[in-house]
Amino acid sequence: MTDVETIAPSLAEQAYLDLRNRIMTRRLPAGKPLIEERLARNLELSRTPLREALIRLLGEGLLVKFEGSSYAVRRITASEYFQSMKVRLLLEPEAAARAADQIDRRAAASLKSLITSLGKREHQVEEHWAADDRLHGLIAEASGNVVLSRTIQSARTPARLFELTNPFERVAVDSNEHLAILDAAVQGDGKAASRAMQQHLRNLEREMLTMISG
C-alpha cells in the first residue's frame, strides 16, 4: 500500500467531519453555496478527499448538488420536518425500550452529568446540539439493532437541519426530558424509557408547530 493510499482516507474523513460539524453548528447555514475549489482552498485539501467528503454528506441528505461542482446545505421544509418526526415517533420509543438495561452505564453517567450542567445555561449553544446527538445516538445504538439505529439517524437528519434553521429555546425542558429517558434506560425500565422518548418527541413536534404557526 502506498503512502497516498494510506493518507487519502484520513484526509477525506477529516474533511467530512469538519464540514459536517460546520453544518450542524450553523456555520454553514441552509442554502449556503459550497464550491469545491473554494472549499478545497479554505480547508487546505486537494479536490479528491474533499469530493469524497461532499459525496458522503450528499448521501446523508445534508447537501444538495447543482450542476458542475456546486453544492449547498439542504433546506428542509416544514412538511418534511413533521414527516421525519412521525417516523421518529415510530422508531425511537421502540429503540428506547430495547435500550433499557443494555445501555452503557459509564457513557450514560458521563452524558447525564453533561446534560445536567448544560441544563443550567440560559441559552442554547453548540454543546446542546452535541449532547442531543449523543443522547439519541446512545439510545439507538443500545437498542442492539443496527438497522434500527441507522434508520433513526437518517430520520433525525432532516429534523436536525430544520431545527437549526428554526431554533427554539427549551434548554431546561429539553435537558429534563433527556434525563428522564436516560434514567429509565439505566434502571432497565423499558416501558418508562419508551414513554419518556415518546413524550419528548411529541413535545418537540408540538412546540415547533406552535412556533412556526405564530
Side-chain angles (χ1 to χ4, degrees), residues 25-27 33 36 56-57 60 68 77-78 95 98 104-105 108 114-115 123 145 174 192 198:
T25 55
R26 289 186 288 177
R27 284 179 286 169
E36 276 190 29
R56 185 173 171 183
L57 291 166
E60 290 182 2
T77 64
R98 290 173 174 268
D104 185 318
R105 293 178 180 273
L114 174 61
I115 290 172
H123 299 292
N145 186 316
D174 210 51
Q198 184 180 67

Side-chain angles (χ1 to χ4, degrees), residues 16 20 23-24 53-63 74 153-158 161:
Y16 163 77
R20 193 178 197 283
I23 293 170
M24 291 304 188
L54 291 171
I55 291 173
R56 185 173 171 183
L57 291 166
L58 181 68
E60 290 182 2
L62 292 173
L63 300 179
R74 190 156 71 96
Q153 177 61 38
S154 178
R156 275 178 49 78
T157 296
L161 288 176

Side-chain angles (χ1 to χ4, degrees), residues 8 12 24-25 34 44 50 53-54 65 71 104 127-128 135-136 141 160-161 164 191 203:
M24 291 304 188
T25 55
L34 306 176
E44 298 182 344
L50 176 62
L54 291 171
K65 191 176 188 302
Y71 296 80
D104 185 318
E127 288 85 353
H128 286 104
L135 180 281
H136 289 276
E141 290 172 10
R160 174 66 178 276
L161 288 176
L164 284 170
K191 290 184 178 179
N203 287 344

Side-chain angles (χ1 to χ4, degrees), residues 4-199:
V4 172
E5 290 174 328
T6 303
I7 294 173
S10 64
L11 290 177
E13 181 72 11
Q14 176 185 330
Y16 163 77
L17 292 173
D18 189 348
L19 289 172
R20 193 178 197 283
N21 180 259
R22 294 184 189 210
I23 293 170
M24 291 304 188
T25 55
R26 289 186 288 177
R27 284 179 286 169
L28 289 176
K32 175 74 174 181
L34 306 176
I35 310 300
E36 276 190 29
E37 184 177 356
R38 189 181 306 164
L39 275 175
R41 186 167 57 251
N42 290 341
L43 297 176
E44 298 182 344
L45 288 171
S46 67
R47 298 279 287 276
T48 298
L50 176 62
R51 187 171 293 115
E52 289 181 25
L54 291 171
I55 291 173
R56 185 173 171 183
L57 291 166
L58 181 68
E60 290 182 2
L62 292 173
L63 300 179
V64 291
K65 191 176 188 302
F66 304 114
E67 292 184 7
S69 301
S70 177
Y71 296 80
V73 178
R74 190 156 71 96
R75 289 186 184 277
I76 305 299
T77 64
S79 176
E80 186 174 357
Y81 170 77
F82 289 112
Q83 289 173 11
S84 70
M85 291 301 292
K86 294 301 182 186
V87 173
R88 292 180 65 188
L89 274 163
L90 291 173
L91 301 181
E92 292 197 64
E94 174 67 18
R98 290 173 174 268
D101 208 30
Q102 302 299 317
I103 195 168
D104 185 318
R105 293 178 180 273
R106 181 175 298 180
S110 174
L111 182 54
K112 182 176 179 178
S113 177
L114 174 61
I115 290 172
T116 300
S117 176
L118 290 173
K120 299 175 182 178
R121 299 194 184 184
E122 184 175 354
H123 299 292
Q124 194 170 36
V125 294
E126 289 183 12
E127 288 85 353
H128 286 104
W129 294 113
D132 182 76
D133 284 342
R134 282 180 60 185
L135 180 281
H136 289 276
L138 183 63
I139 293 295
E141 290 172 10
S143 72
N145 186 316
V146 175
V147 175
L148 177 61
S149 180
R150 289 175 180 170
T151 306
I152 287 172
Q153 177 61 38
S154 178
R156 275 178 49 78
T157 296
R160 174 66 178 276
L161 288 176
F162 190 79
E163 288 172 4
L164 284 170
T165 307
N166 303 272
F168 39 50
E169 295 288 349
R170 62 187 318 268
V171 173
V173 174
D174 210 51
S175 295
N176 289 335
E177 292 172 359
H178 282 167
L179 290 174
I181 296 167
L182 272 179
D183 286 342
V186 170
Q187 291 166 12
D189 191 335
K191 290 184 178 179
S194 180
R195 286 196 301 269
M197 179 65 79
Q198 184 180 67
Q199 189 61 55

